[in-house]
Amino acid sequence: LGSSWELVSARFVPRRCAMNRGVPIGSKICAKREQQRVQDLHRQKLRAVRPLVDTAQPRVTDLEHVRNNLKREQMLEERYSEIDRENRILLQKMADIMTPGVAKPSSGAATPTESRRPPTGPMSLNRDARKKELMRITRENQMILRRIQQAQPVYNHVEFEGMHRRHKDYLKNCAEYPLVLRTP
């Protein structure tokens, strides 16, 4: 019959597999004491185990040149000084804007209150030419817009919708299961 049963004196008895076979012992008491001693020894070894990987702090971290990145500190200091300089310039500009009627002696530019006045004379000599060019461009853009608005469409959407309905019917005819189609 099966491999796990054997015939012993006209009855079937389960055969002992090699895996289930116990270790032959002379005395159960001695074997139990020996097993307990082996388990205690194993637990003791587990408590005394030491890691193979050294997880201690490396000795080079005590070195000054490794701990402090002097180049990075120098670059940060330069960056901070640049930011401070730009902040001082912005603060000075804000102060100049807030004080009315004070002109900067170093620059020939007018103060903000003077720059808001309408100009007394023509700003440039080619102002009329620029104005004509702007008008020409505006006229051309209006003509292009009018042509786009008057153009007839090339595609017939009614025809496309009819084709879509026909194709949906074809798909329903050839499908094995009922179709669930999105409706636009």
Side-chain angles (χ1 to χ4, degrees):
L1 291 170
S3 62
S4 63
W5 295 86
E6 66 181 32
L7 183 63
V8 177
S9 67
R11 65 188 177 127
F12 288 101
V13 180
R15 187 185 332 162
R16 293 208 169 225
C17 298
M19 181 169 98
N20 295 330
R21 195 171 29 192
V23 178
I25 54 173
S27 169
K28 288 186 180 181
I29 296 173
C30 290
K32 188 174 182 181
R33 189 179 324 138
E34 178 63 20
Q35 185 181 7
Q36 186 66 36
R37 188 185 68 79
V38 168
Q39 284 181 350
D40 290 342
L41 183 63
H42 178 67
R43 284 192 192 105
Q44 181 183 359
K45 285 182 180 179
L46 283 177
R47 280 192 295 269
V49 72
R50 305 237 350 139
L52 293 177
V53 178
D54 182 18
T55 58
Q57 181 179 358
R59 286 181 285 156
V60 295
T61 56
D62 295 335
L63 302 175
E64 186 68 26
H65 71 282
V66 175
R67 236 181 322 135
N68 295 332
N69 188 348
L70 297 178
K71 181 66 176 178
R72 184 174 60 87
E73 289 178 11
Q74 178 188 3
M75 290 176 68
L76 281 175
E77 188 63 35
E78 289 174 359
R79 183 170 173 249
Y80 292 148
S81 64
E82 179 70 20
I83 290 171
D84 286 342
R85 187 181 73 79
E86 289 176 2
N87 285 344
R88 279 194 307 275
I89 291 171
L90 285 174
L91 189 62
Q92 182 61 41
K93 286 181 180 179
M94 288 173 60
D96 291 343
I97 290 171
M98 296 300 287
T99 55
V102 178
K104 287 172 107 179
S106 61
S107 66
T111 60
T113 56
E114 293 173 0
S115 64
R116 289 189 203 126
R117 291 185 196 148
T120 56
M123 295 299 286
S124 68
L125 299 176
N126 62 353
R127 187 175 110 186
D128 294 333
R130 281 190 288 124
K131 207 172 198 179
K132 284 181 185 178
E133 181 69 16
L134 183 63
M135 293 300 288
R136 183 187 64 81
I137 292 172
T138 306
R139 278 194 308 271
E140 286 179 6
N141 287 343
Q142 286 176 349
M143 289 188 325
I144 291 172
L145 177 65
R146 199 173 307 117
R147 281 194 304 237
I148 289 173
Q149 288 174 343
Q150 291 175 353
Q152 295 297 319
V154 176
Y155 298 114
N156 187 353
H157 67 90
V158 176
E159 183 181 324
F160 281 151
E161 288 172 2
M163 286 174 49
H164 176 69
R165 279 194 296 277
R166 273 196 319 258
H167 287 205
K168 195 170 19 172
D169 291 339
Y170 294 154
L171 188 60
K172 284 180 183 177
N173 288 341
C174 71
E176 186 173 351
Y177 297 105
L179 290 176
V180 178
L181 297 175
R182 291 184 314 180
T183 56

